[in-house]
Amino acid sequence: MKLRKGIFCLLLCLALFQPVTAYATAGGHSGGSSGGHSSTGGSSRTSHSTIRSGNRIWIGGRSGSVLSFVLFTGGILGITFLKRKRQQHALAQTDRNDVLIAMPGSEQEKQALLQEVTQTFQRIQAAWDAGTLKSAARCYTPRLYDEHRRVLADNREKGLHNHTQKVSLVRISNYRQLGTDSFSLTFGFSCLDYTEDQAGRIVAGDATRKQYFLQRWFFNYDAEKKLWQADFIQPVDLTN
């Protein structure tokens, strides 16, 4: 549907600006104007001409051609972008379906598990960005909680604060059952990832442009708390 809308918008734009090109072509022969000098007899093409009619201005010559080229190029780029987004969405949906198929339990149990680990992912990212893990303590196994706490403490001693903001979970894939109470899956997500010093200066990363990350998360089940907890996070190298 979005692709059809993109094509419709492109055709509409070209249709709207077609009179500009046609009028410029007609005004480019004898009787036209170029640089304020009138031409008589023969054929005199104008490079840049503007003709006022009421409150409308017609752009002639090369200007009309450039405008048409820009509109056409913009339309092609827009259609390509929409097509790529559709492909990415379809791929993400396929990965999600594969994860659900690989999970044990009923359909309702699978959906509940997927929602639980997704919320765990988001809560840990938010806690990390805030610089305190208390709000997400239940989402961690003791091992990963201690590891993250040590890293944050080390950053504070150095006067640094790492941020992970505007997190968008793009893909969930590669579910692997590791035992009756453990499994792993891969999160693909984008976010603003940057580090500030105590003065608020950015010393690493980018606070304006999102980056894409791929991480494999390992979960263990806590029978006492009756929830799945993140136990280990393994970055996936995107350059390979």
Side-chain angles (χ1 to χ4, degrees):
M1 181 63 70
K2 291 183 178 179
L3 181 60
R4 289 198 295 268
K5 288 183 178 179
I7 296 175
F8 174 76
C9 290
L10 171 63
L11 295 176
L12 180 61
C13 288
L14 292 178
L16 289 174
F17 284 92
Q18 184 63 32
V20 177
T21 306
Y23 199 100
T25 302
H29 292 76
S30 62
S33 64
S34 175
H37 300 285
S38 61
S39 60
T40 56
S43 176
S44 174
R45 291 189 176 273
T46 150
S47 298
H48 301 281
S49 63
T50 58
I51 301 177
R52 293 183 177 271
S53 177
N55 294 326
R56 303 178 66 184
I57 300 178
W58 297 91
I59 304 176
R62 295 177 185 172
S63 298
S65 299
V66 170
L67 182 59
S68 297
F69 174 77
V70 169
L71 289 172
F72 178 77
T73 303
I76 293 298
L77 292 176
I79 292 172
T80 302
F81 173 78
L82 291 176
K83 184 176 181 180
R84 185 181 298 119
K85 293 292 288 185
R86 286 185 61 184
Q87 292 173 339
Q88 291 174 347
H89 177 75
L91 182 59
Q93 190 61 45
T94 299
D95 286 339
R96 179 186 175 90
N97 291 338
D98 289 343
V99 167
L100 291 172
I101 291 173
M103 284 180 170
S106 65
E107 186 65 26
Q108 185 177 1
E109 290 171 336
K110 293 178 180 184
Q111 294 288 354
L113 176 56
L114 193 57
Q115 182 179 4
E116 180 180 349
V117 296
T118 299
Q119 290 176 346
T120 294
F121 168 83
Q122 296 286 3
R123 287 169 181 166
I124 288 179
Q125 295 291 353
W128 182 270
D129 178 63
T132 175
L133 305 180
K134 291 182 179 180
S135 62
R138 286 172 53 84
C139 299
Y140 286 97
T141 62
R143 180 176 73 156
L144 186 58
Y145 184 81
D146 289 341
E147 179 184 337
H148 277 192
R149 188 172 57 179
R150 283 195 300 269
V151 174
L152 290 178
D154 184 58
N155 283 346
R156 281 193 295 269
E157 289 180 5
K158 296 176 181 178
L160 300 176
H161 186 181
N162 179 242
H163 290 279
T164 53
Q165 298 177 346
K166 297 184 178 180
V167 180
S168 299
L169 187 54
V170 180
R171 293 175 64 184
I172 304 176
S173 60
N174 299 322
Y175 176 90
R176 295 291 182 272
Q177 189 75 34
L178 304 176
T180 56
D181 60 353
S182 62
F183 69 87
S184 67
L185 49 74
T186 300
F187 288 123
F189 63 98
S190 62
C191 70
L192 298 176
D193 177 43
Y194 63 98
T195 301
E196 290 181 331
D197 61 15
Q198 290 180 326
R201 293 185 296 259
I202 297 175
V203 296
D206 194 329
T208 59
R209 183 178 180 182
K210 280 189 172 185
Q211 301 178 61
Y212 184 78
F213 298 90
L214 206 59
Q215 295 178 343
R216 190 149 190 84
W217 285 49
F218 294 77
F219 291 88
N220 288 349
Y221 187 70
D222 188 314
E224 182 179 348
K225 297 178 181 178
K226 297 183 179 180
L227 52 80
W228 289 91
Q229 297 175 318
D231 181 62
F232 182 70
I233 301 174
Q234 180 183 27
V236 178
D237 189 359
L238 290 170
T239 60
N240 294 331

